[in-house]
Amino acid sequence: MRIWADVYDASGNRLGEGPVLTVSGATISRALDGAGTFSLRAAGTDARALALLTNERRVKLWGEDTGGVRLLGEGIIRKVNMEESQTGVTRRAGGPDVLDELKRRNTLRGRIYNQQTVATVAAGLIALAPGWSVDVDAGIGADLVDARYDGASVLKAFQDMAGRYGYHLRASATASKTLELGAFGDSNGLRIHKIEQVTQEALSNPDLLMVQTIDTEDDSKDVVNWIEPLGAGEGVAALTLEHSTRTTPYTIQTMAAPDGATVYYLKDATSITAYGEIQKIVQFKGVAPLTNTDTDIENAANALYDAAVEYLTRYKDTQEAYRVTVKNAKTSVLPGDKIHIDYKAQVQMGGTFVDYLSVQGDFWVLKATERIGLEESAVDLEVSNIDRARKTTA
């Protein structure tokens, strides 16, 4: 693949007499619901690379292969270093992707949205970041939300709204400085297969990704199927589901607390049958009545219910996750899309072939890291049956 980089200042003005053309490799990591990262390496003897690839410069990385020209990613340079070896001198630069700009813009205090549409709230938040735009999926644009932000970054505000109402966000792969907000989950048309023999026909198929390595993990440690959701406030003053009018998909249950107070909770019967009852109190501190009127208290309780349902939906099942390295990617794989895996591996035991791994289905792309070089490239994917990031010790 041929790779080059356009460089801009913080105001979006293009710098230099042209792009940096000596880029010999790049890594672009795209994450669901947050900022990813990028890094590149260029010739250390290239005067243009030395002059342009400096801290806080904005970079657009482009690539061209048999699939054509595409935008590989955008980022902000936060770290630069020079590397000298027997093969020559290399200029390296890297940092977060362009979504990090939204971390540096703040909602300030008292930014209130009362029964506003998602489209209205998104437009109001993105207006706080000059030069940015937001693409709201038509399917959620008219949904009503309640929100209050006090001193949150613009990115955190979008993440809060997305997490509370079951949406997702990501940087656009085609439009500069554009945030995409939606339910996502559409198929990207790509298929991951185990290929026993690489043929020219397989290499020329743009929808076929060939497995290089695969690692699987089924994790049930975070399963929760009974939750008492609490909103803003402490102790007896915390918001509960008492005034919620929601009835589906879960019926609001009640029981007596040790002190005699009423506990309002939700549970998933199917998950309880499978794993036993696993209880947790979950607090959503960002959910609070905007005023003390009955209407606003009901709206807040309904917003709390919606957030609790999204939490329960994502934590009631065992997470089936895969780390897959694939070859032959000719398009950008985006987090939030679904990708099809059809992979079967066998081992011979006593003359009989036994499947030790058999995977077939559509999985959420949680993270995609594209490693690109002049001679070859590969994509490291993290995919899951559930659209939530896997938790690690870090």
Side-chain angles (χ1 to χ4, degrees), residues 64-361:
E64 181 179 24
D65 57 12
T66 56
V69 176
R70 61 187 172 101
L71 177 63
L72 301 175
E74 297 180 85
I76 305 170
I77 298 176
R78 292 278 163 77
K79 185 176 181 180
V80 179
N81 65 288
M82 297 292 292
E83 180 181 286
E84 185 175 357
S85 66
Q86 293 180 345
T87 58
V89 182
T90 302
R91 179 78 159 180
R92 295 182 180 272
D97 73 17
V98 73
L99 274 184
D100 192 74
E101 284 193 349
L102 299 183
K103 293 182 181 179
R104 295 187 165 188
R105 292 288 176 166
N106 202 279
T107 63
L108 304 181
R109 291 184 293 171
R111 185 166 296 276
I112 299 172
Y113 299 99
N114 187 1
Q115 289 291 283
Q116 298 292 308
T117 66
V118 172
T120 299
V121 176
L125 290 174
I126 207 67
L128 302 174
W132 276 81
S133 60
V134 61
D135 181 5
V136 179
D137 184 85
I140 69 168
D143 291 354
L144 296 179
V145 298
D146 288 276
R148 173 171 179 146
Y149 301 111
D150 292 286
S153 72
V154 170
L155 182 60
K156 181 63 177 176
F158 272 109
Q159 289 171 325
D160 174 77
M161 180 171 64
R164 190 189 304 175
Y165 292 98
Y167 310 141
H168 292 288
L169 57 90
R170 66 188 176 197
S172 172
T174 55
S176 179
K177 290 191 176 183
T178 299
L179 181 71
E180 294 181 347
L181 179 67
F184 296 172
D186 292 333
S187 171
N188 57 16
L190 300 177
R191 295 175 291 114
I192 297 176
H193 280 265
K194 181 179 182 181
I195 304 297
E196 299 291 350
Q197 184 175 1
V198 178
T199 64
Q200 188 58 45
E201 182 181 8
L203 290 172
S204 62
N205 187 343
D207 298 328
L208 180 62
L209 304 181
M210 294 175 284
V211 175
Q212 188 175 35
T213 64
I214 185 168
D215 175 24
T216 177
E217 178 181 299
D218 292 345
D219 190 349
S220 62
K221 72 179 186 297
D222 292 324
V223 170
V224 175
N225 48 38
W226 184 108
I227 65 171
E228 180 191 4
L230 299 175
E234 300 296 332
V236 295
L239 177 71
T240 70
L241 296 178
E242 178 181 3
H243 298 287
S244 174
T245 58
R246 300 280 200 260
T247 58
T248 184
Y250 296 107
T251 301
I252 298 174
Q253 311 279 336
T254 60
M255 61 178 288
D259 63 358
T262 301
V263 173
Y264 298 86
Y265 67 94
L266 304 177
K267 66 178 183 178
D268 187 280
T270 302
S271 177
I272 290 174
T273 300
Y275 307 109
E277 189 168 275
I278 306 171
Q279 300 178 332
K280 187 174 184 179
I281 295 176
V282 183
Q283 187 154 24
F284 302 90
K285 291 185 177 293
V287 182
L290 300 181
T291 70
N292 288 326
T293 65
D294 291 343
T295 298
D296 282 345
I297 292 174
E298 179 182 304
N299 288 338
N302 285 336
L304 179 62
Y305 177 93
D306 295 339
V309 166
E310 293 304 325
Y311 184 95
L312 195 54
T313 299
R314 290 186 172 126
Y315 283 89
K316 65 183 178 64
D317 297 313
T318 294
Q319 187 164 26
E320 181 183 343
Y322 298 90
R323 289 184 291 268
V324 192
T325 298
V326 297
K327 295 276 193 175
N328 202 45
K330 294 180 172 61
T331 59
S332 297
V333 182
L334 301 182
D337 285 348
K338 282 188 176 179
I339 195 165
H340 186 78
I341 300 180
D342 189 356
Y343 188 95
K344 181 177 288 188
Q346 297 179 321
V347 63
Q348 189 173 4
M349 300 177 63
T352 303
F353 285 96
V354 179
D355 292 344
Y356 65 85
L357 182 61
S358 182
V359 186
Q360 187 173 41

